[in-house]
Amino acid sequence: NFFCSALHVSPHTRTYAHAHIPHTTQYTMSGVLFEDIFSVKEKDPDGRKFDRVSRLICSSENYEMDLILDIHDELYPMQLNDRFSFMLARTLALDGAPDSAVYDQSGRPTLADRFDYVMHGKVYRCEEDSSQGNKLGVYISFGGLLMRLKGDARNLQGIDLDSYQYLLIRKV
């Protein structure tokens, strides 16, 4: 179950001012909220809007999730049919300890060491889609690069509106 207060209601879509899904014990300890393997199905379907940014349309292999992701294509080029490991985490600390408000220059190992591309952003919208069962869309802005992860709400447990999340990617 998740608890929310509605901002906008249409026949099929609800946008929430607050959506909270209780955490599972497995992910709470490590700070990892979601992890799966995705494949790039489309790249820039509406044309390229910015010189260095591509919009990827992806689908997951394990949890039937849909991902729309803006990525800095010069820093981390992705092509059609590329497969990548995708993770959302609330902290980079391996033990799940909360991040401090300053950059950690200690050199300690972090989750980022296991990935090639890392972004930090804020959840700005959670949207339930009642036309497709118990589907939830989570929208995160990474300094203007946008992401939407949509699928079964049970797979998006612990992702709260206005929370900060890390997105981590590694090609497989």
Side-chain angles (χ1 to χ4, degrees), residues 1 25 68-69 74 95 102 137 144 149 151 156-157 162 169:
N1 291 341
T25 306
I68 299 174
L69 177 64
E74 283 185 5
D95 64 358
V102 296
L149 181 61
L156 299 172
Q157 295 180 4
D162 294 328
I169 293 176

Side-chain angles (χ1 to χ4, degrees), residues 44-148:
D44 298 316
D46 299 323
R48 205 165 171 140
K49 307 290 186 208
F50 301 99
D51 289 339
R52 298 178 201 135
V53 177
S54 284
R55 176 156 288 175
L56 306 176
I57 310 297
C58 310
S59 60
S60 74
E61 293 183 3
N62 299 312
Y63 297 109
E64 297 181 18
M65 304 292 282
D66 295 319
L67 174 69
I68 299 174
L69 177 64
D70 293 345
I71 194 163
H72 191 300
D73 203 36
E74 283 185 5
L75 289 177
Y76 200 69
M78 300 282 279
Q79 303 303 323
L80 287 176
N81 301 315
D82 278 355
R83 294 176 63 237
F84 59 94
S85 176
F86 173 94
M87 179 185 286
L88 284 178
R90 69 170 52 106
T91 178
L92 292 177
L94 294 175
D95 64 358
D99 288 332
S100 65
V102 296
Y103 176 67
D104 180 8
Q105 300 181 46
S106 68
R108 285 185 298 233
T110 68
L111 280 175
D113 298 331
R114 301 176 185 173
F115 291 86
D116 301 322
Y117 187 82
V118 178
M119 295 192 290
H120 185 250
K122 185 175 184 177
V123 178
Y124 68 92
R125 187 162 120 198
C126 296
E127 189 173 83
E128 179 187 358
D129 188 345
S130 60
S131 69
Q132 297 180 350
N134 193 22
K135 299 279 185 179
L136 183 67
V138 173
Y139 296 76
I140 303 177
S141 176
F142 301 96
L145 296 178
L146 304 178
M147 182 209 82
R148 184 199 77 187

